[in-house]
Amino acid sequence: MSKDRSFPGTGILLRLDGRTGAQSEVTSGGKFTAPIDVAVEADGNILVADVATGGFGAVIRVNRTTGKQTVLSQGDGTGDPAVRAAGLCVAPDGSILVVEQNMIGGEDLSSRLVRVSGARTTVTSGGELRSPCGVVVDSAGHILIADANAFPGFGGGVIKVDPATGAQTTVSSGGGFVAPGSIAIEADGSLLVTDSDPGGTDRFLFRVDPVTGAQKVVASGGQFKSLVGVAVVR
């Protein structure tokens, strides 16, 4: 699946054939305003995080067959209306995990991780979370977040969150990181993290040891221009 923000005020969700690259539209317009991330549920339906739906952002479920859109969670302007969905994933139990950040003022201590499963609950907020972008769940159920501005002065990092208590621990920070964005988990548990310097030309894909936090460059330069996502194909 691919999200596309090249149609201001509408947005489109595309299905790409992995062999041929052929594109087909799943849905467009409707509730979409500025889709930013996408995930697939166990039944094949598609989840889209949109930073501007209704003016306050939303998580939208898209029927994989019909393209029908259903809003699952939406900001209402109460509390801090600038904090909006920036990334999401599906947890093993089927609940939806969403990272939210201040989309207007940049890094902000009101950033948080929420769980959407019928009710909407906050798993953790503040702490090292400032500009969370990517979120995944490892085999032990721990939640891993790539944050572009965590650890000010040290180039962002990867944070582990206990799903029960919300306690945050540092997995990796500093080193080669400038602005970590998207995160994925390999079969052996290693983490893949994209990093793009917003003010420069550095573009990297890092492999991070989940135990030691050691970083290793997997690829850089070449065709990389603006890294916004990574996935592991099994």
Side-chain angles (χ1 to χ4, degrees), residues 170-183:
T170 301
V171 176
S172 186
S173 64
F177 285 163
V178 176
S182 185
I183 185 170

Side-chain angles (χ1 to χ4, degrees), residues 206-232:
F206 287 98
R207 178 174 285 117
V208 176
D209 186 302
V211 177
T212 68
Q215 304 167 11
K216 180 179 180 180
V217 175
V218 178
S220 64
Q223 298 298 314
F224 287 171
K225 301 299 180 184
S226 180
L227 296 178
V228 297
V230 61
V232 176

